[in-house]
Amino acid sequence: MNYRILAVDMDGTVLNSEKKISPPTDAAIHRALEEGYQVLFCTGRNLIEVQSYLDLFPEMRYVILCSGGVVKDLQTGANLHHRTLDYDLAKQVLRSTGRSSPV
């Protein structure tokens, strides 16, 4: 089987305990991209939180954000998939955990 896509988690996988990408990991991602693989970061974070990491890999085409709620084409800026919680449901979930706001 020939795989052409590599989807990787960020926290604890791509990012080390200092929230940085180590030189060997950086090199491996660049090599995979150069060899024609689609490398995607998969994260619970939103685009603003990962943009500085994405800037290190301008040839990266796609990213999976918000725990799978958003799939974005980085070259066109298009959301290929966008499914978020309804606002009222999100408030209900927060109240059930004892929080009144997402911050």
Side-chain angles (χ1 to χ4, degrees):
M1 221 185 261
N2 292 326
Y3 296 101
R4 302 306 305 168
I5 188 167
L6 176 62
V8 292
D9 178 54
M10 293 195 68
D11 292 302
T13 304
V14 170
L15 302 179
N16 62 24
S17 61
E18 297 172 350
K19 303 296 182 206
K20 295 182 180 177
I21 300 174
S22 70
T25 300
D26 180 83
I29 293 170
H30 277 291
R31 181 175 173 196
L33 289 164
E34 289 167 7
E35 290 181 8
Y37 290 88
Q38 289 291 336
V39 179
L40 303 107
F41 288 156
C42 301
T43 182
R45 298 171 184 224
N46 63 47
L47 183 60
I48 292 170
E49 294 174 293
V50 299
Q51 189 62 59
S52 62
Y53 301 111
L54 293 171
D55 291 343
L56 301 172
F57 307 99
E59 59 273 63
M60 192 176 287
R61 176 77 191 251
Y62 305 102
V63 63
I64 300 173
L65 303 161
C66 303
S67 298
V70 176
V71 179
K72 188 165 196 72
D73 183 327
L74 297 168
Q75 291 182 5
T76 67
N79 284 335
L80 304 176
H81 171 77
H82 186 261
R83 176 104 180 170
T84 57
L85 285 177
D86 172 74
Y87 180 74
D88 290 330
L89 178 58
K91 284 184 0 184
Q92 183 180 348
V93 169
L94 287 172
R95 277 194 304 271
S96 74
T97 62
R99 295 176 63 185
S100 59
S101 93
V103 188

